[in-house]
Amino acid sequence: MTTNPVLTEWTTPFELPPFDKIEPGHFEEAFDTAMAEARRESDAIAGQDATPSFENTIAALEKSGEQLTRVARTFYNLTSAHTNETLQKVERDVAPKLAKHSSDMLLNEQLYDRVAALWETRDSLGLSEENAKVLERYHKMFQRAGAGLDGPGKVRMAEISQRLATLGTRFSQNILKDESDYQLVLETAEDRAGLPDFLLTAAAEAARERGLEGKHVITLSRSSIEPFLQFSTNRRLREEAFGAWSSRGELAGDTNNEDIIAETLALRAEKARLLGFDNFAQYKLDDTMAKTPANVRELLTKVWEPAVAQAREEQEKLAAMAANVGENHAIEAWDWRFYAEKVRKAEHDLDEAELKPYLQLENMIEAAFDTATRLFGVTFRELDGMPVYHPDVRVYEVLGQDGKHVGLFLGDYFARSSKRSGAWMTAFRSQHKLDGDVTPIIVNVMNFSKGAPGEATLLTFDDARTLFHEFGHGLHGLLSNVTYPMISGTSVARDFVELPSQLYEHWLSEPDVLSRFATHYKTGETMPPALLEKLLAAANFNQGFATVEYTASALMDLELHLLEEPGDLDIRSFEQTELAKIGMPDAITMRHRIPHFQHVFSGDGYSAGYYSYMWSEVMDADAFGAFEEAGDIFHPETAERLRAHIYSAGGLPDPEETYRAFRGRPPKIDALLKKRGFAA
């Protein structure tokens, strides 16, 4: 009898998943076994005769399902970062099973009665602040899952959850299929016209990985297609590539997501009504800092109006630039980045081809690590020979100022066809203290275009910013210092979770960091001060465009989830109508069009919540001011407050209160408008 390595005790270093032994076929059995064990554990908690107490109910729930958590985290990290047909089939099969498992627990009347009894008597239980917060989260979790509904309501909630899990999985797999199927092969000199060496090198490596040795391939990875749109002088190919990028999820055939989206919206609206809300946006926002759709719309509108005005001015400059080079066509979406690069060169004497040789991936990783060392005293030691799920994955031990083990950090930086697009942070294990001092295992996943063998991988400045952003999330997980998994690390309000990541981006733009780590990949010379000055002076260049493409997506997400009766929604018509209402410039598309809006439809993590990046940005723009006011971007006392109140506190404190504890006052939106160049 073969032992399933997913289910056995992991004796690997630091209890990393034994990827060298795990095969895709192991997961079906692992899920079935782990779900059965978790069910027995929760049933035992629900059925015990003892009077409910925090220890025998809430703490017991926190300790239950450990094996299932381990299996699921390992599996879903693989399906996101390095999937295959076998894993995708298991994913389709297991999604509704996991949803049913969750519903069975959360809709268990005996279990809910125990939690509710504790909630009703919470003031007399003598709970610590942390225990009280965990009880609150459990009570709210059960209620929001429908535990307070009558019998038919519970049955319907379970059905909805299972169907939504299936739809989210199909949505995500359809996008990955569209992305991995597409490749733009550059055959001729005309096809490659205008492309700088760094992009040609990356395109040659992408071709080699696809069995097209000696050719050049542009993929739908953002780090491949965006520079192609930026530099290619072949307008026909720019239009073709942009069309493929923009139409993911709406192509005719099996990967079309339009029916999936319509059904998802209808089910979410029904779920909200069952729970007493008018629409899904009200339901989701009730458990956030924003609280109401009106508050979200107010923030987005305040930013939208100046952003559109600036974007229209930017478009006029692009049209003038096109005319100057003899091109009199209207500026289209596939033209914007191309002419914006020319305008930036003209206005700031700065272009990406000049900048990128100084932004080596290795150095930017070191810059992110060094910033963490200077702020929080943690250091990073790379480990060789560790079991990893792909040869490109790198493993680092994170050590505290006292030299003790803090956790593991995994970096998975390169694009591949088995990885979904985007960038994200997740955890193979979260920090907690329920069973000794359990340290976190955190992973950052990116989609950078890999350099040729033996050559440096070069980043755009946006790529480098993404690396810092995700590492900010990583630190939020690594520095967590709480007792319970429920509130560990990034388990915070959705519109607060982006604060640690977006705040961390600020250090990348500081001369103190760039002057040390931005070195030329061939000569080793530091970025010249004049080039650094130009880079910083151009920080808000094209900000109207960037803000419009993001804010339009956030507004669209909100409007979709304000629908009370989505019914047979025509996705394309709705998108066009809503964009017309807000005055979307014709030459800009949303950063995420509805058919491929993975934040919103690959599960419900950011559904009715894509605004949260901007909500958090109000705080991050204001928060960095604390260091500026101290006169030192690594000011020790400010950094210690940052660690205590933001990075290590997890979901224990109230987000508004913990921000005030760090900053001394609530955030001001003026800082956001100034940061984006919309205010003096």
Side-chain angles (χ1 to χ4, degrees):
M1 181 177 178
T2 303
T3 302
N4 189 326
V6 183
L7 296 171
T8 58
E9 181 180 354
W10 292 350
T11 57
T12 49
F14 305 101
E15 296 182 357
L16 266 172
F19 289 114
D20 53 339
K21 299 176 182 177
I22 293 174
E23 297 176 3
H26 289 135
F27 280 104
E28 185 174 3
E29 178 196 11
F31 271 116
D32 288 343
T33 301
M35 279 190 280
E37 179 184 280
R39 177 64 181 262
R40 287 193 296 271
E41 291 170 346
S42 62
D43 283 350
I45 296 167
Q48 61 186 306
D49 294 328
T51 301
S53 69
F54 183 88
E55 285 301 321
N56 70 23
T57 302
I58 302 302
L61 283 171
E62 281 288 80
K63 294 174 183 177
S64 70
E66 181 180 345
Q67 186 178 58
L68 179 57
T69 298
R70 187 176 69 168
V71 172
R73 286 188 168 184
T74 303
F75 177 76
Y76 282 107
N77 274 293
L78 285 175
T79 59
S80 295
H82 192 40
T83 194
N84 55 43
E85 289 185 5
T86 302
L87 286 172
Q88 289 184 321
K89 182 183 183 304
V90 175
E91 186 179 19
R92 292 191 295 270
D93 291 342
V94 81
K97 291 180 182 178
L98 280 173
K100 182 179 186 304
H101 171 82
S102 178
S103 293
D104 286 347
M105 186 193 81
L106 294 172
L107 299 177
N108 182 313
E109 190 170 347
Q110 285 182 295
L111 195 54
Y112 176 61
D113 285 347
R114 296 184 70 85
V115 174
L118 292 171
W119 179 249
E120 291 299 322
T121 59
R122 60 192 180 279
D123 292 338
S124 64
L125 299 177
L127 298 178
S128 67
E129 180 187 5
E130 188 170 0
N131 288 13
K133 172 62 73 171
V134 174
L135 171 59
E136 176 192 329
R137 295 309 305 168
Y138 265 96
H139 183 252
K140 183 165 288 190
M141 180 175 70
F142 273 87
Q143 282 199 317
R144 289 173 67 80
L149 298 176
D150 60 15
K154 289 179 181 177
V155 170
R156 183 56 185 153
M157 282 290 283
E159 293 172 348
I160 289 172
S161 295
Q162 290 172 56
R163 182 59 180 162
L164 285 174
T166 296
L167 293 172
T169 298
R170 284 177 53 198
F171 183 96
S172 183
Q173 291 188 0
N174 286 348
I175 299 302
L176 180 59
K177 183 75 163 58
D178 280 356
E179 290 174 348
S180 59
D181 281 355
Y182 181 82
Q183 57 185 27
L184 177 62
V185 183
L186 308 178
E187 302 275 9
T188 67
E190 183 184 0
D191 293 346
R192 298 186 293 272
L195 303 184
D197 289 345
F198 73 79
L199 182 53
L200 289 171
T201 299
E205 177 63 15
R208 187 188 66 78
E209 291 176 348
R210 287 160 177 76
L212 298 172
E213 194 80 40
K215 296 190 177 183
H216 297 81
V217 165
I218 300 299
T219 72
L220 294 184
S221 168
R222 195 175 285 276
S223 62
S224 175
I225 192 169
E226 284 199 343
F228 179 77
L229 294 171
Q230 203 170 359
F231 293 106
S232 174
T233 57
N234 190 321
R235 190 168 188 251
R236 177 185 61 80
L237 289 184
R238 291 206 312 269
E239 181 177 1
E240 178 187 329
F242 184 85
W245 173 248
S246 182
S247 61
R248 291 167 297 148
E250 67 174 0
L251 302 174
D254 293 340
T255 61
N256 187 286
N257 278 331
E258 291 169 326
D259 289 344
I260 291 174
I261 293 165
E263 185 180 355
T264 297
L265 291 169
L267 290 172
R268 287 175 177 172
E270 183 183 356
K271 176 179 179 177
R273 289 194 301 273
L274 282 169
L275 294 171
F277 296 91
D278 292 337
N279 52 64
F280 189 77
Q282 284 186 357
Y283 160 75
K284 276 300 290 288
L285 294 170
D286 184 63
D287 193 30
T288 64
M289 293 182 73
K291 301 300 182 188
T292 69
N295 290 339
V296 172
R297 181 178 280 113
E298 180 183 9
L299 170 66
L300 295 176
T301 301
K302 280 182 180 177
V303 178
W304 175 258
E305 292 172 355
V308 169
Q310 183 159 316
R312 295 196 187 284
E313 292 178 6
E314 291 168 0
Q315 186 173 349
E316 290 177 3
K317 290 182 179 181
L318 304 189
M321 176 60 72
N324 285 342
V325 296
E327 300 286 347
N328 295 314
H329 54 74
I331 299 297
E332 303 286 356
W334 50 89
D335 298 318
W336 192 291
R337 290 173 176 82
F338 179 73
Y339 288 109
E341 183 65 21
K342 291 183 176 298
V343 172
R344 184 168 70 158
K345 175 67 173 174
E347 291 187 351
H348 297 282
D349 191 25
L350 180 70
D351 64 50
E352 200 73 63
E354 180 185 14
L355 181 63
K356 197 166 183 177
Y358 292 94
L359 300 175
Q360 301 176 63
L361 172 61
E362 290 297 318
N363 286 13
M364 292 302 101
I365 293 171
E366 286 302 314
F369 288 173
D370 182 74
T371 298
T373 300
R374 297 175 72 183
L375 284 170
F376 305 123
V378 290
T379 55
F380 300 80
R381 180 169 67 94
E382 187 161 10
L383 304 175
D384 296 323
M386 304 293 282
V388 290
Y389 57 85
H390 189 278
D392 286 340
V393 178
R394 300 164 68 172
V395 182
Y396 302 84
E397 183 182 12
V398 186
L399 302 170
Q401 205 159 9
D402 56 3
K404 292 182 179 178
H405 177 79
V406 170
L408 288 188
F409 174 73
L410 280 64
D412 181 0
Y413 296 106
F414 300 121
R416 52 180 171 266
S417 59
S418 61
K419 181 191 290 187
R420 69 175 172 86
S421 62
W424 61 94
M425 164 268 180
T426 188
F428 285 103
R429 185 175 68 202
S430 293
Q431 175 273 333
H432 66 83
K433 300 176 184 176
L434 269 181
D435 186 19
D437 196 358
V438 175
T439 56
I441 301 176
I442 302 298
V443 58
N444 273 179
V445 185
M446 315 287 175
N447 269 285
F448 302 141
S449 294
K450 185 189 290 189
E455 300 244 348
T457 291
L458 304 180
L459 307 182
T460 65
F461 194 69
D462 280 346
D463 287 338
R465 186 183 290 115
T466 297
L467 188 149
F468 265 66
H469 177 101
E470 297 305 334
F471 191 67
H473 281 309
L475 286 173
H476 199 186
L478 287 165
L479 299 179
S480 176
N481 185 24
V482 298
T483 302
Y484 297 97
M486 171 63 78
I487 56 172
S488 178
T490 58
S491 299
V492 299
R494 177 61 66 187
D495 45 12
F496 187 79
V497 76
E498 297 299 334
L499 170 59
S501 55
Q502 292 179 178
L503 176 57
Y504 206 72
E505 294 177 30
H506 286 261
W507 276 273
L508 173 64
S509 299
E510 289 296 311
D512 191 7
V513 174
L514 282 174
S515 63
R516 297 174 60 217
F517 293 98
T519 59
H520 198 282
Y521 77 106
K522 287 184 177 178
T523 67
E525 294 177 357
T526 302
M527 181 184 289
L531 180 57
L532 177 57
E533 288 174 14
K534 289 189 290 185
L535 170 63
L536 299 178
N540 283 322
F541 176 76
N542 211 33
Q543 189 58 245
F545 167 85
T547 305
V548 163
E549 67 164 4
Y550 162 77
T551 310
S553 294
L555 286 165
M556 187 68 68
D557 168 40
L558 181 65
E559 295 303 330
L560 284 167
H561 291 101
L562 283 170
L563 294 172
E564 296 180 14
E565 296 286 350
D568 297 324
L569 185 67
D570 184 325
I571 301 301
R572 298 188 197 197
S573 175
F574 183 86
E575 184 176 278
Q576 292 169 0
T577 300
E578 291 302 317
L579 291 178
K581 281 182 185 177
I582 62 175
M584 182 75 166
D586 292 338
I588 304 178
T589 59
M590 291 187 292
R591 185 169 181 82
H592 306 286
R593 291 191 55 235
I594 297 174
H596 54 253
F597 206 161
Q598 295 201 75
H599 285 77
V600 172
F601 293 109
S602 293
D604 73 349
Y606 281 86
S607 56
Y610 192 61
Y611 76 92
S612 60
Y613 288 92
M614 188 163 285
W615 191 274
S616 292
E617 191 177 348
V618 173
M619 292 182 283
D620 86 64
D622 184 75
F624 192 70
F627 288 91
E628 293 175 321
E629 291 161 15
D632 178 3
I633 62 168
F634 296 103
H635 187 250
E637 290 80 6
T638 307
E640 181 51 41
R641 291 203 315 274
L642 181 64
R643 178 172 185 155
H645 297 296
I646 307 296
Y647 282 92
S648 69
L652 172 59
D654 174 86
E656 292 183 6
E657 291 177 4
T658 202
Y659 183 85
R660 282 196 297 270
F662 163 67
R663 192 67 172 99
R665 57 168 174 74
K668 299 177 181 178
I669 192 173
D670 302 27
L672 166 65
L673 297 175
K674 184 176 181 181
K675 173 187 171 186
R676 289 189 172 244
F678 301 146

